[in-house]
Amino acid sequence: MAVVTFTSPEYKDKSVYATAGSHTQTILKLARENKIPIDFECEDGECGTCVVKVTSLDDKGLMGGPLTEKEKSVLSSMGKLSKAEMEQMIVDDLPTPWRLACQMIVRDEDIRIEY
């Protein structure tokens, strides 16, 4: 079971357990279930209002799964992901720390979500 710690300068940090590997539990869904106020609008990966910064809290390094095509497009348009960074992710097989909460699926790793 993964521990996800949500942190914001406006709210007290909150850690919750997430069911890893469910393939359906996004960061946004987990936040909403635990009354964590991450901004969102479309819930479909198109608007970018739910952008968060993800940091690994264990020794595995950030896994997080691959970015969706929608995430790549939105993060690029927001200036959070350059073409060079996108190419480097493919080579290193490491995701960017910037993700869309509505698209990122919780994996079996302890992470911090800055929103």
Side-chain angles (χ1 to χ4, degrees), residues 28-96:
L28 183 59
K29 183 177 178 183
L30 182 64
R32 292 181 68 196
E33 287 173 356
N34 289 280
K35 299 186 181 3
I36 296 165
I38 293 178
D39 289 337
F40 69 94
E41 286 181 20
C42 73
E43 295 184 72
D44 195 37
E46 294 179 4
C47 70
T49 56
C50 66
V51 68
V52 294
K53 186 173 183 181
V54 182
T55 307
S56 177
L57 297 178
D58 55 26
D59 295 333
K60 299 177 200 173
L62 186 61
M63 296 173 1
L67 273 70
T68 65
E69 291 304 314
K70 288 180 181 181
E71 277 185 291
K72 290 176 188 176
S73 175
V74 170
L75 292 172
S76 293
S77 69
M78 294 176 73
K80 301 284 187 190
L81 184 62
S82 69
K83 184 173 179 163
E85 289 170 320
M86 205 175 314
E87 291 171 359
Q88 194 65 42
M89 285 185 332
I90 294 167
V91 172
D92 294 338
D93 196 29
L94 295 172
T96 175

Side-chain angles (χ1 to χ4, degrees), residues 1 4 113-114:
M1 201 170 271
V4 179
I113 305 295
E114 296 174 53

Side-chain angles (χ1 to χ4, degrees), residues 25-27 54 64 71 99-106 111:
Q25 192 166 31
T26 64
I27 295 297
V54 182
E71 277 185 291
R99 299 295 302 258
L100 298 179
C102 69
Q103 297 294 298
M104 183 178 171
I105 303 291
V106 178
I111 55 176

